[in-house]
Amino acid sequence: MSLADLLRVAPGSTPDLTAIDPAGTPGFDGDKDAARDRLKELRDELADFQERLWAEARQSLLIVLQALDAGGKDGLIRKVVTAFNPQGTRVASFGVPTDEELRHDYLWRVHAATPGKGRIAVFNRSHYEDVLVVRVNELVPEPVWRERYDQINAFEAHLAATGTRIVKLYLHISRDEQRRRFQKRLENPDKHWKWSSGDLETRSRWDDFQAAYTDALTRCSTAAAPWFVVPADAKWYRDLAAAEILAETARSMDPHWPEPEEDLSGIVIPE
Ligand code: AMP
Ligand code: MG
C-alpha cells in the first residue's frame, strides 16, 4: 500500500480522528534526514509534472488545504507547493467572507479561483469552511449547512468531470501541538502578526471542530475528490506525506508534452 493509500479516506467510510495519531508517520519508516532526501526527489518530480501539465494545457489540479489554526497550511505551501513554477500556480486564501462575497452563494468565490487548463490552484482554506467554522459558530441555521455536503459533492464532481483533478488534504494536529505552536507564536514577536483574537475561541470548541471535520471527511471524500488525513504534528512528515500524495496524483494525471506544431527535424537555424 502506498503512503497515499494509507492516508486516503475511503469513500463512504467514517474516519475516527481520535484513532489517527497526529504524531504518527504511517507508510514511512525512515528518519527526518531520510524524509528530507525523499522530499527533494519528490519536489523535482512535481516540478517536472507541473511543466508537462502547463505544456499539455488540458487538465487542471486543485489542491484543497484544511486544518485548524496553526495546523501547518502555510508551512506546507512554503515547503512543498513551491516545487511548482509560480507561473502556472496560484494560491488562493479564503478568510472571513467580504460583504460582496456574502451577497453571493458560498461557492461563488471558490469557483472563481479554480484552476484553468494547465494550471494548479491551491486553496488555503476553502468552501469547507462553510461546513466547519460556519457550522461550529452557528453562522447559518443547521438546515442550511446540512444541505451543503451534497452541494459540495455536486460542485466537485462538476469540476472533476470538466478536467480538474482534486486532492484534499486535512492536516491533523493534536491539541497539545496546537498549544505548543500558539505558545511559540506568543513568544516570538516576529510571529505576533499570526495571532488572531479568535484563535483561542476556536480552540475552546476543539471537540465541535473534530466532529465537523469528521462529517466533512465522511460525507465529501469521493472517488472524484478524495480527502486525505495527513498526520501533521511532525512537520517533516506532513511535508513528505503531502508531496507523496501529490506525486502519486501527478503520476496518474500523466500530462504529455504536446506534439510540435510542425516537423522540426529539418529546421536549420540561420547563422
Ligand atoms: P487565517 O487562515 O488564519 O488567515 O484565518 C482566516 C479565518 O477566516 C479563519 O478564522 C477562518 O475560520 C475564517 N473563515 C474562512 N472562511 C470562512 C467562512 N466561509 N465563514 C466564516 N469564516 C471563515
Ligand atoms: Mg489564523
Side-chain angles (χ1 to χ4, degrees), residues 66-67 69-70 73-74 93-97 102 106 109 124-134 137 139 148 185 193-194 196 198-199 202 209:
Q66 282 291 156
D69 299 310
K73 298 187 302 321
D74 296 333
S93 298
F94 296 100
V96 177
L102 282 173
Y106 68 101
R109 64 175 183 165
N124 182 349
R125 302 188 192 267
S126 66
H127 44 301
Y128 282 93
E129 292 292 334
D130 293 284
V131 288
L132 293 166
V133 70
V134 167
N137 291 350
L139 302 181
R148 291 182 172 172
R185 283 184 185 179
W193 66 274
K194 280 204 168 195
S196 145
D199 288 353
T202 308
F209 271 99

Side-chain angles (χ1 to χ4, degrees), residues 9 17 29 35 37 57 81 89-91 106 112 114 119 133-135 172 189 198 204 229 232 238 247 250:
V9 177
L17 291 179
D29 44 24
D37 293 344
V81 173
T89 308
R90 174 170 171 209
V91 178
Y106 68 101
T114 53
R119 310 294 175 107
V133 70
V134 167
R135 161 178 164 167
H172 182 47
S204 73
V229 177
R238 171 201 75 201

Side-chain angles (χ1 to χ4, degrees), residues 45-61 117-120 165 246-258:
E45 185 179 347
L46 291 172
D48 169 72
F49 157 76
Q50 194 266 342
E51 198 176 346
R52 283 183 289 120
L53 183 80
W54 171 273
E56 183 197 61
R58 297 178 65 135
Q59 314 175 64
S60 320
L61 175 62
K117 302 282 182 235
R119 310 294 175 107
I120 297 172
R165 273 295 281 268
L246 294 177
E248 189 170 301
T249 306
R251 279 172 225 135
S252 83
M253 290 175 75
D254 193 24
H256 284 73
W257 299 114

Side-chain angles (χ1 to χ4, degrees), residues 41-242:
E41 288 174 7
L42 290 165
R43 284 181 55 98
D44 288 345
E45 185 179 347
L46 291 172
D48 169 72
F49 157 76
Q50 194 266 342
E51 198 176 346
R52 283 183 289 120
L53 183 80
W54 171 273
E56 183 197 61
R58 297 178 65 135
Q59 314 175 64
S60 320
L61 175 62
L62 171 59
I63 302 163
V64 171
L65 301 180
Q66 282 291 156
L68 292 174
D69 299 310
K73 298 187 302 321
D74 296 333
L76 179 70
I77 289 168
R78 200 168 58 243
K79 298 286 192 46
V80 177
V81 173
T82 48
F84 301 129
N85 187 335
Q87 175 162 277
T89 308
R90 174 170 171 209
V91 178
S93 298
F94 296 100
V96 177
T98 63
D99 288 346
E100 189 186 18
E101 286 167 350
L102 282 173
R103 283 196 295 272
H104 290 81
D105 77 275
Y106 68 101
L107 293 174
W108 178 74
R109 64 175 183 165
V110 282
H111 203 163
T114 53
K117 302 282 182 235
R119 310 294 175 107
I120 297 172
V122 180
F123 284 0
N124 182 349
R125 302 188 192 267
S126 66
H127 44 301
Y128 282 93
E129 292 292 334
D130 293 284
V131 288
L132 293 166
V133 70
V134 167
R135 161 178 164 167
V136 172
N137 291 350
E138 300 177 53
L139 302 181
V140 299
E142 175 164 347
V144 174
W145 60 255
R146 282 233 172 259
E147 289 289 329
R148 291 182 172 172
Y149 302 99
D150 289 342
Q151 293 166 353
I152 287 172
N153 287 339
F155 169 64
E156 293 179 357
H158 166 71
L159 293 178
T162 49
T164 301
R165 273 295 281 268
I166 306 171
V167 175
K168 300 179 292 194
L169 306 179
Y170 164 56
L171 309 184
H172 182 47
I173 57 164
S174 65
R175 207 173 143 76
D176 269 356
E177 181 63 19
Q178 189 192 52
R179 184 178 44 74
R180 280 192 290 273
R181 292 183 188 179
F182 278 175
Q183 194 62 47
K184 271 186 133 172
R185 283 184 185 179
L186 291 176
E187 284 162 10
N188 181 355
D190 292 356
K191 298 282 180 198
H192 284 178
W193 66 274
K194 280 204 168 195
W195 185 263
S196 145
S197 54
D199 288 353
L200 287 185
E201 165 69 18
T202 308
R203 179 172 166 81
S204 73
R205 312 291 303 269
W206 186 273
D207 291 343
D208 294 334
F209 271 99
Q210 299 297 311
Y213 265 105
T214 301
D215 278 353
L217 297 166
T218 302
R219 300 281 312 268
C220 300
S221 193
T222 59
W227 269 111
F228 296 83
V229 177
V230 177
D233 275 10
K235 295 174 181 174
W236 62 266
Y237 177 80
R238 171 201 75 201
D239 297 337
L240 173 79

